[in-house]
Amino acid sequence: MKEHIPYTDSIVFAAEYMVRACREYAKKAIKDNNLPLNYEEYLILDVVCANPGLIQMEIAKKIFMQRSYLSKLLTALEEQNYIKREQSMKGKRQVV
């Protein structure tokens, strides 16, 4: 029988702790630099700038976000003129 490892000693806990620390660091950097974005909007713009032409589904996968929530954030970013969405030549999916 395997020895029980307390959650706080597990690699899962360490990974979640690291992600939270990185997220808090990014939020502070956004605030300190007076960026008019929230953390999620910043993530989207970072991914889009690094990968122009992605469809919404691809962006959602890269930042682990549900497409319905992503769609709302993309609409807000488009209204603020941060992004432009166009119809894909392959179908009706929107390209950012």
Side-chain angles (χ1 to χ4, degrees):
M1 185 170 188
K2 292 185 178 182
E3 179 183 344
H4 171 73
I5 299 172
Y7 174 69
T8 54
D9 294 338
S10 72
I11 193 150
V12 173
F13 176 80
E16 288 180 0
Y17 188 84
M18 184 180 72
V19 167
R20 282 187 183 179
C22 290
R23 182 175 291 130
E24 290 306 313
Y25 178 81
K27 286 179 179 180
K28 183 178 181 325
I30 291 166
K31 183 179 179 181
D32 290 349
N33 289 292
N34 296 316
L35 297 176
L37 304 167
N38 64 35
Y39 176 71
E40 290 84 4
E41 292 169 334
Y42 174 81
L43 283 180
I44 294 166
L45 290 178
D46 185 60
V47 168
V48 170
C49 288
N51 307 278
L54 290 180
I55 60 174
Q56 183 174 324
M57 182 176 65
E58 294 167 332
I59 298 168
K61 283 182 181 179
K62 286 188 179 290
I63 60 175
F64 306 103
M65 186 178 287
Q66 291 189 8
R67 288 189 318 201
S68 58
Y69 183 54
L70 175 62
S71 180
K72 292 176 186 179
L73 292 172
L74 289 173
T75 298
L77 289 170
E78 188 173 30
E79 288 171 353
Q80 297 172 58
N81 295 315
Y82 282 107
I83 62 168
K84 180 180 178 188
R85 293 193 277 185
E86 300 172 347
Q87 294 296 323
S88 169
M89 294 181 76
K90 295 180 181 178
K92 298 213 179 220
R93 292 185 241 173
Q94 293 179 319
V95 178
V96 180

